[in-house]
Amino acid sequence: MNLTGKHAVVTGGGRGIGRAICLALAQAGADVVINYSGSEAAAQETAEACRAIGVQALTVKANVADETQAAALIDQGIKALGSVDILVNNAGITRDNLILRMRPADFSAVLDTNLKGAFFCMKAACRPMMKARFGRIINISSVVGLRGNAGQANYAASKAGLIGMSKSAAKELASRGITVNCIAPGFIDTAMTEVLPEGVKEKLLTQIPMARLGSAQDVAAAAVFFASEAASYVTGQVLCVDGGMAM
Ligand code: NDP
């Protein structure tokens, strides 16, 4: 997969799955804009690792849940690199609780970051992509968006919403050379899953035919595929990277 000359923005790119996506895109030759909202040191470290691979990399602080900041992120990427060809909406949070106990503020916070954040970034990126008649938008959903999960009504709604939004965008943008696809990771070994109680982790493992957690690199490989020329006739799809969990 050769992405030389392409410019990517990865939201929440400093750590976890986002970091692995930045490194994999850089390995394929793409220059990367690494967005972060709080983890500046991690974002700087990821940028240095990308530069060591031999591509341009810059960090941009932006809370994607804020429309102005999301638009400024895309704008800064274009100003610095000349274009944004690949957008990976990876930033995401959880605020888990049973519906009975879930505070409306926690419902909104998850929707604002995971779904509206992706909408704001996509909205800002799609006009320049349309002008360029090229674009790759990759939204990081979750198997939870396909199957639901007790204690994650807010998160599942945001991730299912991403799938519906991506399919709609795929239909709107296909004629302009822009593809929009989702990756639905299963149970991936990052800070997000590290906090789960051991009992929950053990139960989750029993639901995975491959009987192991996925790695951030497993997800990143799918992102590189969607970004590449090899996927130029693939749009509106959801690729589960989940060891068989959701089938
Ligand atoms: P982490 O918690 O390790 O990382 C989350 C990332 O999102 C961080 O880089 C964080 O940056 C960023 N982020 C959070 N809020 C914002 C915001 N408002 N604006 C910009 N960036 C933000 O999670 P993962 O790496 O595990 O998850 C990455 C994506 O993959 C998420 O969308 C998640 O829902 C999804 N996913 C993860 C799975 C898993 O098992 N780990 C399974 C399925 C999907 P900062 O620290 O700077 O705030």
Side-chain angles (χ1 to χ4, degrees):
M1 309 280 174
N2 187 355
L3 299 177
T4 306
K6 298 285 189 248
H7 307 134
V9 172
V10 181
T11 69
R15 59 192 183 87
I17 291 171
R19 179 183 193 275
I21 291 173
C22 289
L23 292 175
L25 291 172
Q27 285 287 359
D31 299 317
V32 282
V33 177
I34 299 148
N35 157 252
Y36 67 97
S37 68
S39 307
E40 184 177 2
Q44 296 291 0
E45 190 275 331
T46 301
E48 272 160 35
C50 290
R51 285 184 209 115
I53 291 167
V55 300
Q56 296 184 75
L58 63 139
T59 60
V60 176
K61 181 179 167 76
N63 171 9
V64 295
D66 179 296
E67 185 175 8
T68 310
Q69 292 184 42
L73 163 66
I74 301 299
D75 211 44
Q76 282 188 55
I78 292 170
K79 283 202 176 104
L81 300 175
S83 65
V84 170
D85 312 296
I86 302 161
L87 168 65
V88 184
N89 284 308
N90 162 80
I93 58 168
T94 52
R95 294 276 188 280
D96 296 354
N97 220 330
L98 297 172
I99 290 171
L100 274 176
R101 295 193 203 126
M102 189 176 284
R103 296 183 312 139
D106 288 334
F107 190 89
S108 299
V110 170
L111 269 288
D112 284 352
T113 299
N114 300 7
L115 184 56
K116 278 171 84 178
F119 166 67
F120 292 147
C121 291
M122 192 166 68
K123 186 171 162 61
C126 71
R127 192 183 296 276
M129 283 179 175
M130 283 163 83
K131 272 194 193 150
R133 296 206 153 259
F134 181 89
R136 296 278 188 268
I137 299 173
I138 301 157
N139 293 326
I140 308 299
S141 178
S142 166
V143 292
V144 168
L146 294 168
R147 301 199 330 173
N149 195 25
Q152 291 199 302
N154 49 1
Y155 184 76
S158 73
K159 295 300 185 178
L162 266 180
I163 292 171
M165 183 173 77
S166 301
K167 287 177 187 256
S168 304
K171 288 184 176 175
E172 286 183 26
L173 300 171
S175 64
R176 310 300 180 98
I178 302 168
T179 66
V180 188
N181 290 289
C182 282
I183 300 171
F187 188 16
I188 309 297
D189 191 10
T190 67
M192 189 175 269
T193 48
E194 211 174 65
V195 295
L196 292 172
E198 273 313 310
V200 174
K201 283 190 198 173
E202 276 163 27
K203 204 174 155 208
L204 275 168
L205 279 175
T206 64
Q207 297 170 24
I208 304 171
M210 287 189 179
R212 65 169 177 86
L213 269 67
S215 69
Q217 289 75 22
D218 290 326
V219 181
V224 171
F225 167 67
F226 279 133
S228 75
E229 192 57 33
S232 58
Y233 198 55
V234 181
T235 195
Q237 299 305 304
V238 183
L239 178 59
C240 292
V241 178
D242 67 347
M245 190 178 176
M247 68 181 163

